[in-house]
Amino acid sequence: FGILKLNVDEAVKGNPGLASGGAIVRDERGGVILVASFYYEECSNMKAEFCALLDGLQLVLSHDLMEKEILVESDSLGLVNTMLGNGDCAWQYLSLLY
């Protein structure tokens, strides 16, 4: 198989407010490979979503897991639409990924 799933999410107390994010990497059977949490200080919820995605991808890279296909999942419609180039996009945060 060789597919990994990366789930990312954020939490912000207020908007903007103190923010954090998390990432989990699982194998094709759902087994946990890596889990991490991140602190972002004060920012908007959308910026925290992008930071969680970036940190999750860096987690995959830092553990040499890029030889497998990576499926990224998020519950943030804004993040997903931006990454797919659909609808109401948060283009101002794409620079975080580049």
Side-chain angles (χ1 to χ4, degrees), residues 17-65:
L18 295 179
S20 61
I24 183 170
V25 179
R26 292 177 285 168
D27 64 22
E28 62 273 358
R29 295 184 182 154
V32 175
I33 298 172
L34 297 168
V35 177
S37 62
F38 315 100
Y39 177 67
Y40 302 128
E41 298 183 355
E42 188 168 310
C43 67
S44 70
N45 61 338
M46 186 56 64
K47 183 175 181 181
E49 291 281 5
F50 275 84
C51 288
L53 173 60
L54 178 60
D55 287 336
L57 292 171
Q58 288 177 336
L59 185 68
V60 169
L61 280 170
S62 69
H63 286 83
D64 295 324
L65 298 173

Side-chain angles (χ1 to χ4, degrees), residues 2 5 7 16-17 24 29 31 39-40 48 50 56-57 60 62 64 66-67 76-77 81-82 84 92 98:
K5 185 184 287 187
N7 290 91
I24 183 170
R29 295 184 182 154
Y39 177 67
Y40 302 128
F50 275 84
L57 292 171
V60 169
S62 69
D64 295 324
M66 289 304 294
E67 72 276 359
S76 169
L77 188 58
N81 280 340
T82 300
L84 295 175
Q92 67 270 30
Y98 298 110

